[in-house]
Structure formats: structure tokens, C-alpha cells
């Protein structure tokens, strides 16, 4: 069975397996995939920071929202008053009364606006940090979308290549004698790092052990030219 | 500054008494060597440990731009992600190497033939012989 052609086919078969492995591995370890993973982590971390900041600023946001609602309601009241004032049905005392109400409402609006401004000033640093974080989050989000598309395209290409290689491998294996197929599968199942390799001077190409002349002779005489140290097929 | 790092691992049997040899060069001059025994190890473990020792030394000394050479195709291809790591004893070694590589600015791991890795081989065998 020391048929050099067939044994060297084991090396080619192993190369095909390695190519398939590399493609599968690149789906989880490719440069863009790793970049995407790290960006997702950044996105998550930043989102958590923003949530934390929002929690810390919850009093500010509640007060701001509350004041803004009040301002809208007051502005509506002012509009209604202005409508009444623009008509000609009011007598002078009503006109005066509404004018005073309008002024009082304006003062209240200014007060609420001032309160919001003061709160903004008090929390300015934290608000700025949060604003920057939100902008960064938006940037990361856009980058994530773009990178996801790139990764998806890469994966689509890989998913097309794998069946081709699997087919090539199956066709190739079909030319192997059964006992060589079995040998390859067994060595693969055993987790042998290199199943078949060419001898490098006196060194086993599979495990790298320096072989003596008698060991080389023994290997060459064995059925599948297997290294006595690692069981790999030495060609 | 760019450094050339030559690594080799040797074991008397597989597994057996093993040693590592590392030669670090810059501008064509050898600036550091490692030559030490590592106890009982397989050939592949010795190759990995040689690379590990080299990387640890380089990181410690801020050598961040490395061109690494090994004559073990297996280690080169596994570290470069072209071969699957099947043995459980090699996986942690490969992972450690990848962690080291992450910390470097630039690193390339290249395969060379034994005849071009004589110095590292000599250093590994020197440790085994003494």
C-alpha cells in the first residue's frame, strides 16, 4: 500500500480540510468580524453609560419635562388671551384684565424657562458628556450598520465557497481506497495535528521529531508509512 | 525599531526532554538569545513555548515591531489561523500566543526551512546537551 501517489493524496486532502476550516473559522475570526464584535461591545458599554447618566440626571430631566409642559400650556393660554384681545368685544376693564393676565403668564413662562436654564447650567458638564456619548453612539451605530453589511457579504461569499470545497473533497475522497479513508478519518478523530506530511530531511513532517535512519526505514516499511512517534503519515 | 526573532523548539523524543532556542536580531546583529530546557514536552509544545518565551521577552523589553521566524509549519499555520488546533494541550499555548500578539504593534509569523533557522536550533540543542 506504499503507493506514493495515494499517500501524497492524503496531504492534498488535508489541505482541502484546512481550507474548509479556514473558511469556517473566518466567519467567527475574520478581521471584520472581530472589528464588528469589538464595536458591538463598545456600543453596549456606551449605551450603559448613557443610561447611567440619564439615571443620575433623572431629576433634571423630570423637572425640564415638567417645565416644558407648563410652558406649552401657558403659551396656549396666552394665545387664547391674544385672540380675545384682538377682537372688539371686550370692554376696557376686561381688556386691562386680560392684558394683566397675559403679562403674568409671560412672567411665569420666563420663570420656568429660567429654571430650566439654571438646571442646564448646574448639570452642564454631565449633559455635555452625555451629549458627546450620544453622538458617539450614533456614529458607532452607523458604523455597525455598514460593517454588518460588509460582514454579511463576506459570509455569503464564504457560504458559497464551503459547499464547493466540500464537494471537491467528497469527489476527491471517492478516489481513495477504503482503508486510506478510514486511516485519515481515524487520525483526524484522534486529533492528530498533521495527518500527513512530507519528510523534511530526517525530520517527521507531521510532528517534527528527528528520526534516525532505522526509524525512517521502519516507517517506509510500514503499511501506511506512519511515524512511530505521532502516527502521522510520512511521505 | 524592527526586530527579527528566530525560534525553535527541540525534544529528544516525542514527548521527551525538550528545550527552546530563540535568537533576536536587529540591524543584522544578535542582541539576545534564549537557550533553556523546558522539561518533558512534545515537539510542537516546545515550538510553541519557544515562540511564547520570545514574545514574552519582546513585550517585556518593548520590542513592538517583530518579524518572527519558525521552522514549524504547524505552529506558524495555527497561529496565523490557517490550521485548526486539535490537541487540547496546544490550544492554551496558541491562545496565549495570540494574546501576546494582540499587545504588539506589528508582528508577522513566518515559516522558514530548518537550514535557515540554524541559530535557534543550535541554541535549543545547546540547552538539551548541557
Amino acid at each position: 500500500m506504499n503507493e506514493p501517489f495515494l499517500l501524497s493524496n492524503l496531504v492534498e486532502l488535508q489541505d482541502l480540510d484546512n481550507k474548509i476550516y479556514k473558511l469556517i473559522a473566518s466567519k467567527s475570526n475574520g478581521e471584520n468580524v472581530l472589528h464588528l464584535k469589538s464595536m458591538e461591545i463598545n456600543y453596549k458599554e456606551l449605551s450603559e453609560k448613557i443610561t447611567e447618566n440619564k439615571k443620575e440626571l433623572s431629576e433634571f430631566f423630570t423637572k425640564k419635562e415638567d417645565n416644558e409642559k407648563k410652558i406649552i400650556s401657558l403659551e396656549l393660554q396666552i394665545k387664547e388671551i391674544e385672540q380675545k384681545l384682538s377682537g372688539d368685544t371686550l370692554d376696557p376693564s376686561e381688556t386691562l384684565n386680560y392684558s394683566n393676565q397675559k403679562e403674568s403668564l409671560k412672567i411665569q413662562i420666563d420663570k420656568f424657562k429660567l429654571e430650566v436654564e439654571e438646571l442646564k447650567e448646574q448639570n452642564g458638564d454631565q449633559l455635555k458628556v452625555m451629549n458627546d456619548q450620544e453622538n458617539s453612539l450614533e456614529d458607532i451605530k452607523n458604523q455597525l450598520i455598514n460593517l454588518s453589511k460588509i460582514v454579511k457579504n463576506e459570509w455569503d461569499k464564504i457560504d458559497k465557497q464551503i459547499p464547493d470545497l466540500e464537494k471537491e473533497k467528497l469527489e476527491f475522497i471517492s478516489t481513495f481506497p477504503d482503508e486510506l479513508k478510514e486511516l485519515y478519518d481515524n487520525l483526524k478523530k484522534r486529533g492528530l495535528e498533521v495527518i500527513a506530511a512530507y519528510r523534511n530531511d530526517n525530520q517527521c513532517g507531521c510532528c517534527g521529531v528527528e528520526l534516525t535512519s532505522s526509524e525512517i526505514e521502519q516507517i517506509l516499511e510500514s503499511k501506511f508509512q506512519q511515524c512511530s512517534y505521532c502516527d502521522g503519515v510520512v511521505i | 525599531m524592527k526586530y527579527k526573532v528566530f525560534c525553535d523548539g527541540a525534544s529528544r523524543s516525542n514527548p521527551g526532554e525538550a528545550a527552546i532556542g530563540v535568537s533576536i536580531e536587529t540591524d543584522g546583529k544578535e542582541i539576545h538569545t534564549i537557550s533553556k530546557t523546558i522539561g518533558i514536552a512534545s515537539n510542537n509544545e516546545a515550538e510553541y513555548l519557544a515562540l511564547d518565551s520570545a514574545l514574552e521577552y519582546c513585550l517585556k523589553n518593548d520590542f513592538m515591531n517583530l518579524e518572527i521566524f519558525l521552522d514549524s509549519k504547524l505552529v506558524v499555520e495555527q497561529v496565523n489561523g490557517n490550521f485548526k488546533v486539535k490537541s487540547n494541550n496546544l490550544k492554551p499555548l496558541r491562545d496565549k500566543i495570540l494574546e501576546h500578539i494582540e499587545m504588539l504593534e506589528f508582528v508577522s509569523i513566518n515559516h522558514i526551512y530548518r537550514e535557515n533557522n540554524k541559530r535557534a536550533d543550535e541554541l535549543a540543542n545547546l540547552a538539551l546537551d548541557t
Side-chain angles (χ1 to χ4, degrees):
Chain A
M1 187 37 74
N2 289 347
E3 169 46 77
F5 171 70
L6 283 175
L7 287 180
S8 64
N9 277 350
L10 287 175
V11 178
E12 281 183 47
L13 179 61
Q14 185 176 245
D15 284 346
L16 275 172
D17 261 343
N18 284 333
K19 275 185 197 167
I20 293 168
Y21 159 73
K22 198 183 173 186
L23 282 174
I24 294 168
S26 68
K27 281 183 84 172
S28 55
N29 296 328
E31 201 179 316
N32 284 325
V33 177
L34 292 178
H35 192 192
L36 187 69
K37 281 181 186 170
S38 95
M39 265 171 59
E40 277 173 348
I41 292 168
N42 284 349
Y43 185 86
K44 201 178 156 220
E45 283 174 356
L46 203 54
S47 299
E48 281 169 2
K49 275 183 192 167
I50 291 171
T51 311
E52 220 170 89
N53 267 340
K54 274 187 180 163
K55 242 187 210 172
E56 282 174 22
L57 288 166
S58 64
E59 210 176 304
F60 162 76
F61 283 115
T62 311
K63 184 76 183 162
K64 185 176 168 260
E65 207 177 304
D66 194 33
N67 278 16
E68 280 167 353
K69 274 183 196 163
K70 283 179 186 164
I71 289 168
I72 290 169
S73 154
L74 291 170
E75 280 172 344
L76 273 173
Q77 287 181 49
I78 287 176
K79 262 188 190 169
E80 281 169 20
I81 290 171
E82 278 172 343
Q83 269 177 0
K84 284 177 185 165
L85 286 172
S86 64
D88 49 6
T89 55
L90 298 177
D91 62 32
S93 70
E94 283 174 325
T95 305
L96 182 65
N97 193 18
Y98 279 125
S99 298
N100 286 340
Q101 271 188 42
K102 188 181 156 186
E103 282 314 305
S104 152
L105 292 172
K106 273 186 178 175
I107 289 166
Q108 282 185 61
I109 287 174
D110 288 343
K111 189 188 137 212
F112 289 136
K113 279 184 178 171
L114 188 68
E115 264 179 25
V116 172
E117 285 311 310
E118 279 172 356
L119 281 170
K120 272 185 188 171
E121 245 181 68
Q122 282 168 21
N123 299 287
D125 290 342
Q126 210 168 345
L127 282 169
K128 193 188 173 302
V129 169
M130 208 179 80
N131 193 37
D132 291 346
Q133 285 172 339
E134 279 174 337
N135 288 337
S136 300
L137 193 73
E138 196 56 33
D139 282 348
I140 295 175
K141 194 176 157 189
N142 291 331
Q143 286 175 35
L144 268 174
I145 292 168
N146 290 333
L147 198 56
S148 302
K149 283 178 192 165
I150 294 169
V151 168
K152 194 191 169 296
N153 283 339
E154 284 177 357
W155 281 13
D156 286 345
K157 274 185 198 163
I158 292 169
D159 288 341
K160 277 178 194 160
Q161 282 173 289
I162 291 174
D164 289 346
L165 280 172
E166 295 277 15
K167 197 182 157 202
E168 193 184 332
K169 185 183 153 187
L170 275 177
E171 282 171 5
F172 190 47
I173 287 181
S174 69
T175 65
F176 279 43
D178 285 345
E179 51 185 354
L180 265 180
K181 268 189 238 175
E182 210 175 301
L183 173 75
Y184 185 84
D185 287 342
N186 283 340
L187 294 177
K188 195 175 166 183
K189 266 183 214 155
R190 273 176 43 191
L192 194 65
E193 297 295 336
V194 179
I195 293 167
Y198 294 96
R199 186 157 47 90
N200 182 10
D201 294 329
N202 291 337
Q203 201 180 23
C204 165
C206 301
C207 64
V209 166
E210 199 73 44
L211 303 161
T212 62
S213 309
S214 67
E215 281 171 337
I216 293 172
E217 238 171 79
Q218 262 185 345
I219 288 170
L220 292 174
E221 280 167 9
S222 67
K223 192 176 181 186
F224 296 120
Q225 295 186 193
Q226 284 177 274
C227 168
S228 45
Y229 293 97
C230 69
D231 268 353
V233 177
V234 189
I235 299 148
Chain B
M1 204 180 282
K2 208 173 188 172
Y3 297 89
K4 279 189 177 180
V5 182
F6 296 86
C7 309
D8 197 19
S11 71
R12 286 284 187 245
S13 186
N14 204 22
E17 272 302 324
I20 58 168
V22 176
S23 165
I24 303 173
E25 290 181 3
T26 187
D27 294 330
K29 280 181 193 161
E30 186 175 73
I31 55 159
H32 184 73
T33 60
I34 300 171
S35 173
K36 64 175 183 186
T37 53
I38 52 168
I40 304 291
S42 73
N43 235 47
N44 290 329
E45 283 169 331
E47 296 280 358
Y48 264 110
L49 289 167
L51 177 57
D52 180 56
S53 283
L55 288 172
E56 271 182 6
Y57 177 84
C58 290
L59 281 167
K60 216 176 194 177
N61 290 280
D62 258 346
F63 298 172
M64 304 303 271
N65 188 340
L66 309 179
E67 224 180 327
I68 298 176
F69 301 93
L70 291 101
D71 58 40
S72 165
K73 192 168 167 60
L74 177 86
V75 174
V76 171
E77 299 295 357
Q78 285 184 337
V79 171
N80 286 329
N82 297 326
F83 285 6
K84 188 178 181 178
V85 184
K86 297 170 198 164
S87 318
N88 287 333
N89 54 336
L90 294 187
K91 274 178 194 158
L93 294 172
R94 195 272 317 260
D95 292 346
K96 197 175 168 203
I97 298 293
L98 293 181
E99 278 171 27
H100 286 332
I101 287 173
E102 279 282 302
M103 288 185 249
L104 291 158
E105 277 166 19
F106 174 82
V107 62
S108 68
I109 314 270
N110 312 283
H111 177 249
I112 48 166
Y113 289 102
R114 294 173 74 201
E115 54 266 34
N116 299 319
N117 201 26
K118 277 184 184 158
R119 178 64 178 141
D121 177 63
E122 182 185 53
L123 289 163
N125 281 302
L126 189 74
L128 275 179
D129 293 338
T130 49

